[in-house]
Structure formats: C-alpha cells, structure tokens
Amino acid sequence: MARHTPSQHPWRLVALVAGLLLAASSVSAEDVDFRRDIQPILTEHCTSCHGGDKQRGGLRLDLKAAALAGGDVGPSFIAGKADESEIIKRVRGDEPDEIMPPKGKPLSKEQIATLTKWINGGAHWPEDTVKQERRRSDHWSFQPVVRPALPKVKDATWPRNAIDHFILARLEKEGIAPSPRADRHTLIRRVHLDLLGLPPTPDEADAFVKDDSKDAYEKMVDRVLASPHYGERWGRHWLDQARYADSNGYSVDSARSMWPYRDWVIAAINSDMPFDQFTIEQLAGDLLPNATQDQLIATAFHRNTMINQEGGVKDDQFRIEASYDRVATTSQVWLGLTLACAQCHTHKFDPITQKEYFEFFAFFNSTEDSNNTGPTVSLMTPEAEAKIEALQAQVTAAEKKLRDYDQEQAKQKQQEQQQKAQPKEPATKGKANANANASAKTETRDIELKNITWKPLRPTLARSTGGATLTTQPDQSILVAGNLPANDVYEITLPTTGARRITALRLDVLTHESLPNRGPGLAGNGNFVMTGIEVTLADKPLAIAAAYASHAQPDYSIQNAIDGNKETGWAINTGQSTPAGVRMNDTHHAVLQFNDAIIPAGKPLKIALKFERNPNYLLGRFKISVTEEGPIALPALATSPAASGAPAAPAPAINERAKIVKEVDDLKKQLNDARRSQPTVMVMRELKTPRPSHIHVRGDFLRLGPPVTPNVPEVLPPLEMQQATAGKTQATRLDLARWLVSPRNPLTPRVTMNRLWMRYFPKGLVETEEDFGTQGALPTHPELLDWLASEFIARKWSMKAMHRLIVTSATYQQASHTRSDLADVDPYNRLLARQSRLRVEAEIIRDMSLAASGLLSTKIGGPSVRPPQPPGVYDFTQNQHGWTVSKGEDRYRRGMYTFFFRSAPYPMLTTFDVTSMTQTCTARLRSNTPLQSLTLANDEAMFEMAQGL
C-alpha cells in the first residue's frame, strides 16, 4: 500500500475522541474511568499534535468541546463500536504504514485494550464547562483525602499491617502471589542501608540472625530508628530538596557558611520533629512568637538560593530570581506542582493562573535578604561569648594605653619646643631643609620609570589560602572579595610564554569602588600590610637584588616585604612627613629587581604575596607586570636602614610605642580570630513594611502589571490568615506554612508519603513524584496513597512512625529475586509482587566503603570537610578554589559532610548522580556509566579505603 501523507488523508489524523456522545449506549465501560485511564493515554500519545499548541487534522483532544467537534472530516470512531472505529485500527497498526502516533512511543497492548473497552462502553467523557476544563478542579489530587477502608484479601495470613492489605488485594485481583520473605542477612542489610545509609556490623548481623524471639525483626528496626545516623541518612534526602550547598553558585561561587542548617535538619529528624512543625519552622521560623535560635536557623531552608557576585549584577533582579526559586521549591517540595510554569503565563495544564503564581510569589517578596546581603545568625556558645568579651576589654584597654602614650609624647614635645629658642633660618633654606627632612622621614619616591616597558601578565591561577575569592579582571588586575580571612597568602601563577628574559617585576596596587575607602587595601581605611613577597621559577626561589616602592608609610618600607621577617611589612598609610599630593587611597607600585636576568624557558612564575601580621590588612586589588629591559637603575634608598644594610637605632620612645602598637595588633588579631571561629548561617527575616508585589508581564521583573497580595491557588482549600500579629494587613509566610500542613490541604500529605514510599521501592505510588497535576501519572494504588496520607495526619505527622510502618510491612520484607511469571504481567514491578534491588546513592557508596575499610568517622555534624579529590577540578572554573585536604578523622567523614562547590562539586559524588544543587531535587536520577567503575577502581579516596580494608 502506498504511504499517504497527513495532508492527503486528514481524516486519518482525526484521532481518538470525536462523536463521544452519539446516541448512546447506556452501557458503561466496567472499571474504566476517563480521567484515571483515558486522559493519561491522550496526554502521553496524542496532545503533542492534537492539543493546545497544535491541532493536526483540525482535531484537538485536550478539551472536551473541541474533541466532540471532531476534525476536518468528522468523527474517527463510533461509541459502542470499537472494532469499527478508525482510531482503534490505527493504534493497533492494522495498516502498518499509517500507525498512530506516527512518531514516538506506540500505545501498549494494555492501553489499546483500555481504549477499546472505553469506546465499547459508550466513550463517556465527564460533563463539564469550558471554565471547569481550565480549572480542572476535579483532578484526583485536588480532592480531599478520604481514609479508605482496608480491602478484603483471601490470604489473611500474609499481611503484617494495613499496607499489605492494599498490595495483596491488587495482586490477588491480577492472580499474582507475593514473594516469600527475604532471608535475615538480607533484611538487616536492607534496613540498615535504607534507614541509616550504613551497613550493619558483622556482630549486629549475627545477633539478629541468631535472635529466635517472635519480634526479633521489630526490635532490630526500633534499634536502627534510634540511631543518630538515621537523621544523617534521611537528612541527606531533605537537603537535596533544600538545594543545600557550601557555596553561592554562579561563576564566582564563593564559599558560604550553611552547615549549621544541615546540622539542624539532622537533629530535627533524629528527634522526630512532627512534619508540620518541621515545615513551619523552615518556612517561617522567624515569624513565630519569641523565635528561638534553632527556629531562626531552620529558615536557612530558603537562604540556600544562589547568590550572583558577578560585577555589574543588578541586585533587584537576582533578589527576584531568588524569590522565583523559592516559589518553585515550595510548590514542588510540599505540593508536587509545577507552579513555576505559570511565571510567564497561565499554566497550560493545571488550574493555576499567572495572577495566582504572583500571589504565591508575594509571600517571598518581603524578606530582608537581597542578592548579596541579608540577615545571619551567629552560633556563639556562652564560653566563646565570654572569651570574646574578655578580648574586647583587653583591646579597649590597649588602645587607651596607646592614646595615653601618644598624648603624653605630644605634650612632652610641645614643652621641649617651648623651652628651646632656635634662630630663624632664611625661608628658602628652611623650605629646602623641610623637603630634605620629608624625604628622609618617608620613603616616598615619586618616579615613573618612564623609559621602561612593562608587560602585564594574566594569571593562570590566583588563589587565596585563607578562602578569599580572587577574580581576574579584564585589565589583568586581580580583585579580592568573598569571605575574607584575617590573614592570608595570595598564590599567583603567571605564564611567561614569549618572554626571552625577565629582569624585574612590577606590582601595582590599585583602587576599586568595591574596596573600603576605595582601597587599595582591605583594611577599613584602605591600607594593607604586605609582610612578604616570594618569587619562584620551576619551584626554585629567585633572589631579589633590590626593591623600590613609589610610596611607603614611615617604618613600613618595601624592604620589609623582602626581609624574610613576617613581623615587618610594606604599607602605604600617610604620615605628617609625607610630601603634599601623596595620598594613601591612590594607585602605587613596587618594583623588584632580580640578581640576574631570568631565562623563563616557558616555565611559569609563581608569586606569593603574604599578609601574616596585621589582621584584616589584606590587599584588595593588584596587577603584576614584568620587563625584559635592564638592569634598572632603581633610586637609592640611602635613608632606609634595610637598603644600606646597617640597622638603625631608633629612639627609645619609638621602641616603646612599637611595643604598644604590637600589643594592640596582637589583641585585635586574637579577637578577630575568635569572632571568625564562631559559625554563622544566613536566615530569613521579614521587612517591617511588606514590599509591594505585582504580576510580572511575561515573567519580566522590569515589566510590572497589576498589584497582587499574598494568596494561594483557588483550586486548593482557601488560606486562613492568622490575625495574631498586630497591624498585619496581609497574609505572611507563617500563614502559608500553616496552610501547607493544614489537614484540609490534600497535596502535602499525599506528596510527602509518596516520596517516602519511593525511597523504599522502585517508584512512588505516583511515578511522577514531582508532578501531581493533570499531566502527572495516576497512582498505581490510589487507596493505599490516601490511607498513608490519612495515617500520617492521624499519627501527628510523625515521620518515624511512617518509616516503621513501611519497613515492618510484609510488602517491604519480600525477597527481591526476579520471577519469570512477572516478566509479562508486571515487568516494572509496579504491583510489588517482590521487592526491588535498588542502587544506593553517591554518598552511601562512599560511606559503605569507609565502613568496610574500618576508616569511617562516626562524628555527626560540624563544618564541611575536604577529603582527597583528583587535581585539576577547578581548572575550568572562574575561581580556582583552594582544596586543602582535611586531616585526621575529618578525612574520613560521611559523604554528606563533603564541602560542596556548586560550580565544581566533589567529582566522586557527581559521577554517581549528585545534582549541582542549583535548584531543588526531589528525586535523583540513577545512571550507569563506565566512569563509575573507573572511580571505584582508581579514585585516590577509594584506593585509600581499599588499603584500609
């Protein structure tokens, strides 16, 4: 038969559903429900060509009225007569060249049989109006949760709890027997990995196998649930949904301190905090009356959004981007809805308008945080607080001591001047002497070295050993930002390609608007103190013959940066003797001349700039250049003791003052270190006056439409606004949080229990766990899902109770052996006639290996750690983050404690399907790649575990 194109026979494309209410048969299709059984078939196979966007052959199948009208030619099937209907012939493939759908996945035998039964039974499509079509409020997941009765089963001996009645009833209906119980070694290993993410010890396994008591299994489950590692295992699942990471994201991706939130999650899960309270504290803990520190830390859930630190970023834009993320995360995690699809226009499938999206958005649009700043909480212990108070008192006393000393010296000097009568000198001579004195007392040398050609070098590596962010700018300069340590060392690698020789190196210290007082330093006044400069080539240190700086403050010569003494340094503050026109907050430079011309031979120069003495006196912006000319005649520094090689003998008063200054600096460093050692975490806080919210036309934050106030979608139960807050004019995040966990909300308990179920079995009862809307899959066991949801509420939202219920069911305890009798009737094990063998997640692969090797640290909580990882991970990131491998037991912590950079996550974890944590992840993918085998065989950490084993 010749192949026909769609345009030749458009009537053949009039697929599936026209003429639905033809005269009619009063016979209804037994066990076939349109919304449950037929609509998913149309959605999966037909509406891409016959839906809202396209109507091939003039047929539209996503709306009843349009489907009833048929296509260009007329109806394609007859109600009550499936065999005579064109659609059945086409989906069966009676004419193979014209099978429907022409592309993509064909209908299964079961789907064709369902369509046939539906047509023969009268092809009934529920009555509804166009508005109801749009709202689709009758979708199953939007209906109230109604607790079903337990179904009757033939084999009353198999069920161990209510779950098994629902599973067994379905199996018996299909004529399938459940699998036998797994052996005890399998059961204890399964329970330990599912609940703790760690294997049982040999002693634990042997004790369980030998336990002859009737309730041996239940006792083992209770013991496992009581383990503190339970919170780690199930906290990891929640952290995926919270998009937890240790860095800000985007290309700069600097480090942040969020681990206290991770520890809060672990503690909350271990204590079996009721899920409704768990929800309220994370979404709105800051709005609770007399909020505790823990409740504030919980709100970091929504501070896990990314922060863009790129130059030129518009703060408002990325604050709104963070709010968009909070809407998408909240709707997916608790409601299982793709609410984000309504950001630019009304949702094409679910009953959510764009106005309702921005009403939901308004809940998150009135927080204090912006793209780069926001409220934080310090986790200071009473002991640390007392220590810091004591140090602050010592600093205050030392500063007073220095002020008193300076006042006394000034007083003495004034008295001496009054006592001495000196003859007046001629004006010209006095001026000359004044200039000479200024030259002697300072090391300002305002020369330009005009005849020297300097070539700027663009770093291939710029890193801070203290964790600051070093970013190369378009002019080859380096800008320092991020989490600044008190003291630091900048390690710079510079290419020398094309350079025949190098005679000198120039360091420009530059101002920038982002720096305190415009810099060039990072101290409050814009100063810095550079205690050392080291230059190496091919890992060999290079001797510096001479150094010169265009400006230096008294007693802080550039010579101090090359003398090998970290107690001295180069700084640029101005003094009384500084010549007119020289300012600290201006560009200055230093030149280092080498003993011999360097022949680089293509090898890179490595430069270390050290700031090891004065806390917070770091350099904020700088550029490095080299020259091939020379040797350069640097200005003589005859007045510099370091330059002449003869140590000066300062006056006793100067020595005394230096001692006091050092005392002040040392105490300030101790205070700064003590403060920095106290962990902080970003939290949520509401503005006193709500920020106005609007619809954003086409989702563009610059195009404001009509104003909106906080509210929830109309298709769900209405929001009940609490009036407890004085002067409150609109609903808040606290109202939203309470609404999410209201027993009247049908989605939260269903979605939460479905996700719990999918962690133990191959799929959720609803396979599309992230989408409970009209495009999502239907439940395989709808009555069981509603029973679990109602039981969850009845047990006061206890997650531990639901975990115990599932793992003590006969369904969970079945053997996982494959069965030939299920290959055709249930190849994907959706009916659960056996247990499935599930691959463990990335972190658990590491944890199991550590446990088997005997190296595992069981320490819980604390800052993230850095186990060994392959070199070169950050070669292709904008900032080449430092990775100092943790020592001691921190090297062997569980995978969930590994420091996580969003731009370049820990390679072993990503190889085994960890996401980038840039957005919420409610279910990880499971892949199978050669890289996974190579990692297990060759990764340094894995090799070390093999040695331990």
Side-chain angles (χ1 to χ4, degrees):
M1 179 182 294
R3 185 177 184 87
H4 300 290
T5 65
S7 60
Q8 288 174 308
H9 287 284
W11 65 272
R12 292 187 179 276
L13 290 176
V14 182
L16 298 184
V17 203
L20 296 176
L21 297 181
L22 296 177
S25 166
S26 59
V27 180
S28 61
E30 182 184 1
D31 296 331
V32 177
D33 177 81
F34 175 79
R35 294 210 179 275
R36 185 190 67 204
D37 304 315
I38 303 302
Q39 191 174 44
I41 297 176
L42 305 185
T43 298
E44 181 179 3
H45 298 281
C46 309
T47 56
S48 60
C49 292
H50 305 286
D53 293 332
K54 291 190 293 185
Q55 294 90 45
R56 299 289 293 273
L59 180 65
R60 182 171 181 175
L61 296 174
D62 63 327
L63 297 178
K64 176 182 176 182
L68 288 175
D72 292 344
V73 177
S76 64
F77 67 89
I78 302 172
K81 298 179 180 180
D83 288 339
E84 298 178 20
S85 299
E86 180 67 20
I87 180 57
I88 296 299
K89 297 176 184 178
R90 294 298 300 277
V91 297
R92 282 195 312 227
D94 292 356
E95 298 181 40
D97 289 341
E98 297 175 348
I99 191 170
M100 282 291 165
K103 296 180 180 179
K105 183 180 177 182
L107 273 69
S108 66
K109 293 179 181 179
E110 293 82 3
Q111 289 173 320
I112 295 172
T114 300
L115 276 175
T116 301
K117 183 184 287 188
W118 179 64
I119 295 171
N120 281 335
H124 293 287
W125 191 320
E127 291 289 346
D128 46 15
T129 66
V130 173
K131 181 179 179 181
Q132 287 172 327
E133 292 263 11
R134 184 183 69 78
R135 302 301 300 175
R136 290 180 189 159
S137 58
D138 58 343
H139 183 61
W140 72 269
S141 68
F142 302 142
Q143 305 310 306
V145 174
V146 178
R147 186 181 183 89
L150 295 186
K152 295 180 180 180
V153 295
K154 297 175 184 177
D155 183 4
T157 63
W158 188 75
R160 289 176 176 264
N161 61 36
I163 290 173
D164 302 324
H165 284 266
F166 293 97
I167 299 298
L168 184 59
R170 181 70 185 278
L171 291 175
E172 289 178 344
K173 180 180 177 181
E174 302 293 336
I176 303 172
S179 293
R181 193 185 191 199
D183 65 81
R184 284 202 169 192
H185 279 108
T186 299
L187 285 176
I188 189 172
R189 185 176 186 274
R190 181 185 296 171
V191 168
H192 271 253
L193 290 178
D194 281 342
L195 289 178
L196 306 182
L198 294 170
T201 65
D203 289 343
E204 289 171 331
D206 290 342
F208 172 61
V209 171
K210 295 174 182 177
D211 189 346
D212 295 329
S213 60
K214 196 172 183 179
D215 59 347
Y217 180 80
E218 286 73 16
K219 288 190 297 184
M220 182 268 290
V221 168
D222 290 338
R223 175 183 57 79
V224 172
L225 282 170
S227 167
H229 299 302
Y230 159 79
E232 291 178 312
R233 168 60 170 154
W234 288 90
R236 177 65 268 175
H237 289 311
W238 186 258
L239 293 176
D240 279 7
Q241 297 178 84
R243 65 266 192 249
Y244 168 84
D246 295 296
S247 68
N248 288 331
Y250 295 104
S251 54
V252 174
D253 199 31
S254 58
R256 60 165 53 161
S257 173
M258 294 301 285
W259 61 265
Y261 167 74
R262 178 241 293 145
D263 289 0
W264 178 90
V265 169
I266 294 172
I269 292 174
N270 273 332
S271 67
D272 197 25
M273 178 183 289
F275 187 76
D276 56 348
Q277 182 183 347
F278 186 71
T279 295
I280 290 169
E281 292 195 7
Q282 289 184 88
L283 291 183
D286 58 307
L287 298 178
L288 292 171
N290 303 314
T292 65
Q293 186 181 72
D294 279 352
Q295 289 169 336
L296 294 177
I297 293 170
T299 66
F301 175 88
H302 268 324
R303 291 301 303 280
N304 281 316
T305 50
M306 295 195 295
I307 294 174
N308 193 339
Q309 297 172 294
E310 294 294 320
V313 162
K314 293 184 180 297
D315 192 65
D316 275 355
Q317 176 184 357
F318 285 91
R319 177 187 61 78
I320 289 172
E321 291 290 339
S323 296
Y324 287 161
D325 173 70
R326 289 162 186 168
V327 171
T329 299
T330 304
S331 63
Q332 286 230 310
V333 170
W334 278 275
L335 301 176
L337 293 180
T338 55
L339 201 65
C341 293
Q343 178 181 324
C344 301
H345 49 70
T346 289
H347 204 294
K348 288 190 174 182
F349 304 106
D350 291 341
I352 301 165
T353 66
Q354 189 188 24
K355 178 176 182 289
E356 288 172 329
Y357 172 88
F358 280 101
E359 288 174 339
F360 204 90
F361 163 90
F363 284 112
F364 303 102
N365 193 35
S366 290
T367 56
E368 282 189 15
D369 62 291
S370 63
N371 176 52
N372 277 308
T373 61
T376 62
V377 167
S378 173
L379 279 68
M380 191 179 299
T381 63
E383 294 77 13
E385 188 172 2
K387 178 181 178 181
I388 288 173
E389 287 179 357
L391 283 170
Q392 181 63 67
Q394 293 178 53
V395 168
T396 301
E399 288 177 333
K400 183 179 184 302
K401 180 179 178 182
L402 180 60
R403 286 195 304 272
D404 292 346
Y405 179 86
D406 286 343
Q407 290 173 1
E408 181 63 28
Q409 291 297 310
K411 183 178 179 181
Q412 290 180 10
K413 186 174 182 180
Q414 185 179 15
Q415 291 174 348
E416 290 174 0
Q417 290 175 345
Q418 291 174 349
Q419 292 172 358
K420 291 182 179 179
Q422 297 183 1
K424 295 183 179 179
E425 299 181 17
T428 53
K429 182 178 179 181
K431 184 175 181 181
N433 287 341
N435 285 340
N437 290 337
S439 176
K441 292 179 181 177
T442 71
E443 294 181 11
T444 299
R445 299 289 185 271
D446 189 13
I447 67 167
E448 301 192 13
L449 304 173
K450 293 180 179 179
N451 297 325
I452 302 299
T453 301
W454 296 99
K455 178 183 177 182
L457 298 180
R458 183 176 182 83
T460 56
L461 173 66
R463 67 181 292 267
S464 151
T465 60
T469 300
L470 273 59
T471 306
T472 302
Q473 306 298 302
D475 65 350
Q476 321 303 338
S477 68
I478 296 172
L479 185 63
V480 183
N483 292 326
L484 302 174
N487 300 95
D488 207 347
V489 177
Y490 301 163
E491 296 179 347
I492 317 298
T493 300
L494 300 160
T496 60
T497 306
R500 294 170 301 166
R501 67 177 197 154
I502 296 173
T503 57
L505 179 147
R506 173 174 173 147
L507 173 67
D508 287 278
V509 294
L510 308 170
T511 59
H512 194 268
E513 294 299 329
S514 68
L515 304 176
N517 209 21
R518 295 188 70 250
L522 286 164
N525 61 355
N527 200 4
F528 64 86
V529 179
M530 185 181 299
T531 58
I533 305 176
E534 294 178 357
V535 185
T536 59
L537 178 71
D539 296 325
K540 294 181 179 179
L542 300 177
I544 299 173
Y548 158 80
S550 62
H551 170 61
Q553 78 180 61
D555 301 322
Y556 286 84
S557 163
I558 182 62
Q559 306 297 321
N560 295 341
I562 61 172
D563 63 2
N565 183 1
K566 69 178 183 180
E567 296 300 323
T568 63
W570 172 41
I572 58 168
N573 202 352
T574 53
Q576 293 180 350
S577 58
T578 302
V582 176
R583 297 174 304 176
M584 173 175 65
N585 306 109
D586 206 344
T587 59
H588 302 290
H589 61 266
V591 176
L592 307 181
Q593 184 167 297
F594 301 111
N595 270 335
D596 300 303
I598 300 167
I599 311 300
K603 297 184 181 298
L605 279 176
K606 294 184 178 180
I607 299 172
L609 305 180
K610 300 183 177 183
F611 309 88
E612 299 175 303
R613 180 173 178 267
N614 299 64
N616 304 320
Y617 275 71
L618 310 177
L619 184 57
R621 183 180 174 216
F622 59 95
K623 180 167 66 175
I624 298 173
S625 310
V626 297
T627 185
E628 297 182 0
E629 302 175 24
I632 301 172
L634 294 181
L637 301 178
T639 60
S640 168
S644 65
I654 296 178
N655 275 340
E656 181 63 27
R657 187 180 192 281
K659 290 179 181 178
I660 302 174
V661 169
K662 185 176 185 305
E663 179 185 356
V664 172
D665 287 346
D666 288 347
L667 286 170
K668 283 184 175 180
K669 183 178 186 303
Q670 293 178 46
L671 177 62
N672 188 72
D673 289 346
R675 283 174 172 162
R676 288 181 180 275
S677 67
Q678 303 308 308
T680 61
V681 63
M682 299 186 295
V683 298
M684 299 284 274
R685 185 185 297 148
E686 202 77 355
L687 292 170
K688 293 181 180 179
T689 301
R691 184 181 286 114
S693 294
H694 297 260
I695 293 175
H696 297 169
V697 179
R698 300 298 299 168
D700 184 349
F701 80 102
L702 295 175
R703 299 173 62 192
L704 298 184
V708 293
T709 55
N711 208 345
V712 297
E714 183 184 330
V715 71
L716 293 169
L719 182 77
E720 295 179 359
M721 191 171 91
Q722 302 288 327
Q723 299 296 335
T725 305
K728 186 169 72 169
T729 59
Q730 63 183 35
T732 65
R733 280 182 288 115
L734 182 56
D735 297 316
L736 173 66
R738 287 169 172 158
W739 173 82
L740 285 170
V741 289
S742 165
R744 297 195 306 139
N745 190 325
L747 285 174
T748 299
R750 283 184 176 128
V751 169
T752 306
M753 286 300 98
N754 187 62
R755 289 219 179 95
L756 187 68
W757 186 270
M758 80 177 185
R759 308 295 184 192
Y760 291 108
F761 299 100
K763 298 285 184 183
L765 296 169
V766 177
E767 185 171 349
T768 54
E769 50 77 32
E770 81 290 358
D771 188 1
F772 270 50
T774 60
Q775 297 296 290
L778 291 166
T780 56
H781 298 75
E783 293 82 8
L784 173 57
L785 180 59
D786 272 16
W787 187 89
L788 288 169
S790 63
E791 186 71 8
F792 187 32
I793 297 172
R795 297 201 183 206
K796 299 181 179 180
W797 303 89
S798 168
M799 292 295 287
K800 270 193 179 182
M802 302 310 293
H803 281 294
R804 191 180 192 281
L805 193 66
I806 290 175
V807 300
T808 55
S809 68
T811 305
Y812 174 81
Q813 295 178 59
Q814 292 179 101
S816 59
H817 304 301
T818 56
R819 290 167 45 179
S820 58
D821 61 318
L822 300 177
D824 292 328
V825 295
D826 189 20
Y828 298 107
N829 194 28
R830 290 191 173 96
L831 301 182
L832 298 174
R834 63 181 180 89
Q835 180 57 283
S836 292
R837 298 175 66 192
L838 304 180
R839 173 176 289 193
V840 296
E841 289 118 357
E843 294 88 348
I844 311 306
I845 293 174
R846 172 178 170 81
D847 299 347
M848 291 173 63
S849 303
L850 284 169
S853 70
L855 297 174
L856 176 68
S857 164
T858 57
K859 177 183 175 182
I860 295 175
S864 297
V865 297
R866 305 189 186 210
Q869 71 174 5
V873 171
Y874 305 115
D875 284 355
F876 302 99
T877 58
Q878 177 172 327
N879 287 312
Q880 298 171 9
H881 308 293
W883 189 268
T884 303
V885 175
S886 298
K887 298 179 180 179
E889 70 170 328
D890 282 350
R891 187 183 182 98
Y892 308 111
R893 299 287 303 279
R894 295 192 67 171
M896 74 179 301
Y897 297 115
T898 299
F899 197 99
F900 197 95
F901 278 112
R902 284 177 161 123
S903 60
Y906 190 66
M908 180 265 170
L909 298 181
T910 54
T911 300
F912 288 93
D913 306 315
V914 165
T915 67
S916 63
M917 299 303 167
T918 56
Q919 58 189 4
T920 186
C921 173
T922 53
R924 293 184 188 177
L925 299 175
R926 289 191 181 108
S927 68
N928 190 0
T929 71
L931 274 178
Q932 294 168 349
S933 296
L934 291 169
T935 297
L936 293 176
N938 300 316
D939 182 81
E940 178 184 352
M942 287 293 174
F943 189 78
E944 189 174 355
M945 295 174 208
Q947 289 178 314
L949 179 64

